[in-house]
Amino acid sequence: MSLRITRTSSPQPLPPADQLGFGQYFTDHLFFADFANGSWTSGEIIPYQNFQLDPAASVLHYGQALFEGMKAFKHPNHEMYLFRPKFNAERMQKGAERLSMQAPPTDLFIEGIRELLKVDARWMPEGVGKSIYIRPTLIGTEGFLGVRPSNHFRFFVILSPVGQYYSNSSKAVKIFIEEEDLRAAPGGLGNTKAAANYAASLRAALKAKHHGYAQVLWLDTSRRFVEEVGTMNIFFRVGDEVWTPRLNGSILEGGTRACVIQLLKSYGVIVHERDVALADLQQAYENRQLKEAFGTGTAAVITPIEEISSQKIAWKFTEPSENSISQKLFKDISSIQHGLSPDRFSWLMKV
Ligand code: COI
């Protein structure tokens, strides 16, 4: 791939590795490629900088914007590995189809990310739990005002060295059930990583935060079934089996969700991808069968949940221990990602 690289003349100091948090620091460069007249440019790496955008660009008026979340990890042999990049390239392509956008082909998506990681390799933080978070983004850039799809797109990638997503130092999070706002509805954008889904989630997330909760649990349009957490897919351990909402079209098809299902099946755990009714969970809670709840996501990895509440519901979970499924999954997935145990499902790609 003939990719132009312009290196920065003023590299930034690296942030303190123990204070990375999530998405606060950006590396020295970014990758971008443009689509116009039916084809993609071969892409360019430039110093991290503002873009110039037509004020009539379709992303600003009609919300043609999609993103992905991915991570790269440093292994003990000092090589960098990407986690399931093809999955993200293909999910962006599916989302682009739904939003009438042109997605970058898989080769451009992956090679742009790999080259950018090589240029900014010095930003890779050391240690388990730390990684470079990758944010590939696609926006409509053509300027016009009639409502129609853009004919011009920009695909760009920025990198952020990260630690854990939830700033709360105790590892489990509290979740509030949102019963008024809706994140998504069947036939809508809920199963895509459209920026609009996140805009729709912000009001409820703020309200939950105000009451001491890390995130909200979204319900379906009937307000009877659990969907997802917005930054994570959700799993419940009921007895010795695991339930997670099935992909019904309004839930994000999470990459970590798929890995967790694969891992659980490899442990011999029965996983039910099903409609998960609040009433069924309440009954399981009353029968002391609702043993664990946890979220999964690229940013959140596996995050145990300590409490799920609403006006009517108050489920409390015991602290995760050695016997918790969430802990086992976290250890397993992190050690594969960091190259500390064999990549038995072929999830990794060398940068
Ligand atoms: C991710 O986990 O990568 C996400 O996109 C969730 C959130 C940070 C927006």
Side-chain angles (χ1 to χ4, degrees), residues 22 67-71 88 91 133-135 165-166 193 198 215 230-232 252 256 296-301:
F22 181 83
F67 69 88
E68 278 298 322
M70 304 166 60
K71 278 180 176 166
N88 297 89
R91 189 169 62 179
Y133 182 81
I134 303 160
R135 177 50 69 84
Y165 183 73
Y166 289 105
K193 272 185 97 65
Y198 296 82
Q215 273 293 334
T231 53
M232 314 190 277
L252 188 74
T256 314
T296 65
T298 298
V301 197

Side-chain angles (χ1 to χ4, degrees), residues 175-184 197-198 200-205 215-220 225-232 234:
I175 305 286
F176 194 75
I177 303 174
E178 174 59 40
E179 291 171 303
E180 287 164 18
D181 288 356
L182 268 182
R183 173 188 169 275
N197 289 330
Y198 296 82
S201 76
L202 297 176
R203 180 170 70 176
Q215 273 293 334
V216 303
L217 176 59
W218 294 102
L219 302 179
D220 78 322
F225 296 97
V226 169
E227 296 229 309
E228 61 161 86
V229 177
T231 53
M232 314 190 277
I234 192 160

Side-chain angles (χ1 to χ4, degrees), residues 269-284:
V269 174
I270 296 173
V271 184
H272 300 276
E273 293 182 68
R274 50 170 276 176
D275 291 328
V276 178
L278 287 173
D280 292 344
L281 292 172
Q282 177 65 32
Q283 197 171 40

